[in-house]
Amino acid sequence: MTISHTHSADVLVVGWGLAGLVAASEAAAAGRSVVIVDQESRPNLGGQAFWSFGGLLFIDSPEQRRMGISDSYDLARQDWFATAGFDREEDHWPRQWAEAYLQFAHTEKRAWLREKGVGFFPVVGWAERGGYTATGPGNSVPRFHITWGTGPGIVAPFQADVEAGEAASRITILPRHKVTVLTTVDGTVVGASGDILAPSGAARGAATSREVVGAFSVSASATIVSSGGIGGNHDLVRAQWPTRLGTAPEKMISGVPAFVDGSMQPVTQTAGARLINGDRMWHYVEGIQNWNPIWPDHGIRILPGPSSIWLDATGRRLPVPLFPGFDTLGTLEHLRTTGHDHSWFVLSRAIVEKEFTLSGSEQNPDLTGKNVPLLVKSRLGKGAAGPVQAFLDHGADFVVRDDLDSLIDGMRALPGGDVLDGHRVRLEVEARDREMDNDFTKDAQVAMLRSARSYRGDRLVRTATPHKILDPKSGPLIAVKLHILTRKSLGGIETDLSGRALGADGRPVPGLYAAGEASGFGGGGVHGYRALEGTFLGGCLFSGRVAGRAAAAAV
């Protein structure tokens, strides 16, 4: 028998990822009653953010200054807008959100998080280094601040706020509630209805059933959609794949759980909201198959230092400046022209020990567990970090050999390896190694990695001492087969600076708000075409705060 439940609140929040938790906590702090619904089971509270590395962009932070980094709002704005490449009429609100977010990242963002007990790893990372001119895409300086506690550390204070609100009967949390309709009356959104799904005992992140056991409805004066992106839905990713990035890959792996499915997109659109910039997306090209998967097609991203040789599927070295960690989307665009869905890193044991970090809270037990002795051992000690060593031992995409001929044979033995030209691989590796005989070089990557070591943070934990890949003292040799890893939607529900969802006529849809990845992290695409990294969690924090406060003020 179908069971129906009804609920009411001042504010309804659809989706309990980071943006939803922030929005709910802000609305409750303003004295409003809140209902939170999500299609997953309670252990998944915090959504995708829980699994993140916890990177946040700050501008001119104490951590930057202690590392000798000179940053400024003007420099960060230069980098953001050069990277975003805003060029559409639909970029009206994304531009304004970018300005507002940069001000937030420069001023109160860090202090606000510190007040909530969030701390940060002292070494600032340098992601998306660009490699073009000063007016090209990329970060001019390191800005990637790692949360002490990674993703769980950034989720924790907002989860605590929400659970305190639940204990005080101000917030109601409804797991396994999947919204199928945003309820409208005379064009005003007045809540939502949908399916109650069967209880699930699955572990956090694992796929769950969609068996329907009941129905529900929630009436609310304001509804905030914070349901995330589309990265777990490969069919939808392919449907929205932009022609500028070539043809969509036949094979991809998932950097997000299956619940990141985009199912609220048509629901929100039906209620009158406008979806924009759906062809803007952010997928990584350094994905590896997880040897110990949690969700379907579970992949992990390598966060590489700058030293590995990057080859396409046939063995040709990627062009300047497509080096590891320099230009994610530029590399993706180039690789889609090769006709193959994979590429390769070739490196030495010395490089993997110094430069390989794996994205994800579960892949960084030292930072996630706030374990200082383990951190010192894994980041500064001898040998590869434990999670990296596990991939060297068990990963399907890793080849470890003592000499180059054996390495090439191992690469060719992996699926798709038959297209690899072993002679080309040898040419590329030996030619690169010859460039190491002098302190000066014509090889741009060699020059860049030497430049990187002038930054104290890179020299300390992220960039290996320059050496020949084939030097036996730095061996054994390692090759890694790299896959395209789905991750973020850069477009979404168009919103104004109050987080109000906008309709096709540019006017707010009464009663409807959006936040987080569902809104393109603000405005329907605050990043434009490219992101500077450390800006996804930050976009969830900022847009969730804006929407929560605005919705509370409106009811």
Side-chain angles (χ1 to χ4, degrees), residues 195-487:
D195 299 326
I196 301 175
L197 305 180
S200 172
R204 179 192 283 270
T208 58
S209 81
R210 291 296 177 259
E211 179 189 355
V212 176
V213 297
F216 76 94
S217 64
V218 181
S219 60
S221 299
T223 297
I224 303 171
V225 175
S226 53
S227 52
I230 68 172
N233 185 338
H234 290 190
D235 289 339
L236 190 52
V237 169
R238 291 188 182 95
Q240 297 187 186
W241 191 271
T243 56
R244 67 180 178 278
L245 292 181
T247 58
E250 293 182 12
K251 177 175 174 52
M252 298 180 284
I253 56 178
S254 290
V256 295
F259 60 68
V260 186
D261 59 9
S263 60
M264 278 300 295
Q265 284 193 354
V267 174
T268 309
Q269 193 170 32
T270 299
R274 184 188 187 205
L275 302 179
I276 61 174
N277 299 320
D279 64 325
R280 292 176 178 171
M281 50 185 69
W282 189 257
H283 307 305
Y284 292 109
V285 281
E286 312 100 333
I288 50 176
Q289 300 171 86
N290 195 344
W291 67 272
N292 187 22
I294 297 170
W295 53 79
D297 297 316
H298 188 176
I300 298 295
R301 184 202 176 195
I302 296 170
L303 300 173
S307 299
S308 298
I309 299 175
W310 203 334
L311 307 175
D312 69 17
T314 69
R316 288 187 174 274
R317 197 166 166 198
L318 270 57
V320 175
L322 305 182
F323 313 132
F326 278 69
D327 181 2
T328 294
L329 239 57
T331 306
L332 175 59
E333 182 178 0
H334 171 77
L335 289 174
R336 296 313 303 142
T337 69
T338 68
H340 303 284
D341 292 344
H342 68 278
S343 60
W344 298 94
F345 279 164
V346 173
L347 61 154
S348 66
R349 178 79 186 199
I351 292 172
V352 84
E353 291 179 357
K354 186 80 168 184
E355 298 191 4
F356 268 32
T357 297
L358 303 176
S359 183
S361 54
E362 82 284 8
Q363 299 294 332
N364 294 275
D366 51 354
L367 292 164
T368 302
K370 302 180 181 181
N371 187 327
V372 174
L374 180 59
L375 185 145
V376 172
K377 177 183 177 182
S378 61
R379 309 288 162 167
L380 300 177
K382 294 287 187 181
V388 174
Q389 185 61 52
F391 273 92
L392 288 168
D393 293 338
H394 308 294
D397 297 312
F398 284 73
V399 180
V400 182
R401 299 288 189 271
D402 289 326
D403 63 85
L404 187 55
D405 286 336
S406 298
L407 187 77
I408 292 169
D409 289 343
M411 295 165 72
R412 288 182 54 81
L414 293 186
D418 56 304
V419 301
L420 187 73
D421 181 343
H423 296 293
R424 185 73 197 191
V425 175
R426 176 172 289 282
L427 183 153
E428 297 285 11
V429 174
E430 291 180 345
R432 180 266 188 198
D433 273 7
R434 290 188 190 100
E435 296 292 319
M436 306 303 296
D437 288 332
N438 297 287
D439 291 336
F440 44 88
T441 178
K442 75 173 184 181
D443 189 304
Q445 183 180 3
V446 173
M448 290 295 288
L449 71 91
R450 286 172 173 161
S451 174
R453 285 179 59 84
S454 66
Y455 166 51
R456 191 187 319 155
D458 270 358
R459 189 170 64 253
L460 184 65
V461 298
R462 290 296 284 149
T463 305
T465 302
H467 62 275
K468 293 185 177 184
I469 299 290
L470 298 178
D471 185 345
K473 296 192 296 294
S474 299
L477 299 172
I478 298 167
V480 186
K481 183 182 176 184
L482 305 172
H483 306 263
I484 295 171
L485 178 80
T486 62
R487 187 62 67 86

Side-chain angles (χ1 to χ4, degrees), residues 3-9 35 174 177 192 196 215-219:
I3 303 172
S4 297
H5 295 280
T6 59
H7 309 268
S8 63
V35 168
L174 301 175
H177 282 57
I196 301 175
F216 76 94
S217 64
V218 181
S219 60

Side-chain angles (χ1 to χ4, degrees), residues 39-52:
Q39 64 185 352
E40 293 306 314
S41 54
R42 183 67 180 251
N44 287 282
L45 194 70
Q48 184 182 339
F50 177 90
W51 299 103
S52 75

